[in-house]
Amino acid sequence: MMPLAMLSPEMAALLAELQQQDAGLADPTTLPAAQGRAQSEQSNVRWNQQLPPMAEVTPFSVSDGRLPALSGTLYTPENAGAGAIIYVHGGGWAFCSAATHQRSARLLAQLSGVPVLLFDYRLAPEHPWPAGLEDTRRLWQQLTSGKLFPHLDRHKLALAGDSAGANLALALMLAQQPDDIRPVCGLLFYGVYGADFTTASYRQCANGPGLTREKMQRYWQWYQPDHQQRLHPLVTPLNASDQALMALPPLWMNAAQVDPLRSDSENLAARLHQLGRRDRLQIVPGVVHGFMQMTLRLPAAVTAHKEAADAWHNLTR
């Protein structure tokens, strides 16, 4: 089946509208990084309106004096429960920010009933691998040491992320040592876990709509241009050993049906299941990569946040 025929009516109508709104704009991955980043930030403003209210919105900035300060925001809903979800934003390791994902983070906080922490990390190509992973690890260490937000239960923290953010979240889980405080679970949304551009979904959805094979190849060229280094399991988690995968906390994953990255999630889920794990993968029909940003207009995006919130509760009982 052709990708366009796979789209839900709601997704198809929204994509047609976005195509009109963005007429004349260049593919941001073909622009100089700073210019593409600025265009991406502006394009995402439309998804960050009518923000779900929070009981507290707490900006933060922390620095160890060695690397640039980490900054972000803790979104605390009314009657917040124990623990928190640390959300690593997507954007091809090169685009997007805490600002572009704040509605998604707020909605996840509201639906899960626990605080969600959203932060900025160093972006490629100026800061290729492992800079983003190092920043994610630095933030995790600040939280689990009690130096940042000591009121949060550091033994009930989850890691979440979308797209490249899911890659960073999963890589951090794989990189953790036995004496580290580990996440109680991982919530991973349409992640990039490999760099094989010949998978079934890359072939099926090579030209989009939305994310394309060429865009992903450019993101990879910015993030980790060395093809040999791309085999490192902290770059492509699908290359992790069975032992490393077995040591992961419980995972809940989703993937968009009409997405070059769908096979990454399917292949990861298959490996986990072969190991006897019970991690769940939800393939969301009729939607494209990045659909969870579209909660203002796309019912499937809201449903996906509800399912992620339910997974948090199910996996942390």
Side-chain angles (χ1 to χ4, degrees), residues 65-244:
R66 182 175 60 92
L67 292 171
L70 291 170
S71 61
T73 305
L74 181 69
Y75 295 104
T76 304
E78 294 285 349
N79 303 312
I85 299 170
I86 293 82
Y87 192 109
V88 192
H89 74 76
W93 306 285
F95 297 155
C96 295
S97 65
T100 63
H101 281 63
Q102 69 162 313
R103 191 175 201 280
S104 185
R106 285 170 176 256
L107 186 59
L108 185 57
Q110 187 180 70
L111 293 170
S112 66
V114 296
V116 172
L117 189 149
L118 187 62
F119 69 104
D120 289 308
Y121 53 87
R122 287 172 293 166
L123 299 174
E126 299 92 334
H127 303 285
W129 184 87
L133 179 57
E134 288 177 344
D135 287 349
T136 306
R137 187 201 305 264
R138 288 165 60 205
L139 181 66
W140 183 259
Q141 291 172 339
Q142 288 282 331
L143 287 163
T144 56
S145 68
K147 295 177 181 177
L148 179 63
F149 300 121
H151 68 285
L152 297 177
D153 182 350
R154 58 183 181 164
H155 295 284
K156 198 175 181 181
L157 301 176
L159 271 171
D162 68 297
S163 191
N167 170 285
L168 293 173
L170 184 54
L172 176 59
M173 289 184 254
L174 290 168
Q176 288 175 323
Q177 301 302 308
D179 57 345
D180 291 339
I181 295 178
R182 292 170 167 258
V184 287
C185 67
L187 307 173
L188 305 177
F189 315 139
Y190 37 82
V192 47
Y193 308 124
D196 178 0
F197 305 114
T198 67
T199 63
S201 60
Y202 264 115
R203 294 195 304 270
Q204 187 178 46
C205 305
N207 299 314
L211 185 64
T212 66
R213 177 191 287 155
E214 287 188 350
K215 287 179 182 178
M216 277 307 306
Q217 289 173 328
R218 285 190 282 269
Y219 284 135
W220 271 111
Q221 192 62 28
W222 282 355
Y223 184 58
Q224 179 49 277
D226 187 317
H227 287 249
Q228 191 62 34
Q229 283 297 313
R230 288 182 190 173
L231 299 177
H232 195 294
L234 301 187
V235 180
T236 47
L238 275 169
N239 289 312
S241 67
D242 288 353
Q243 182 181 6

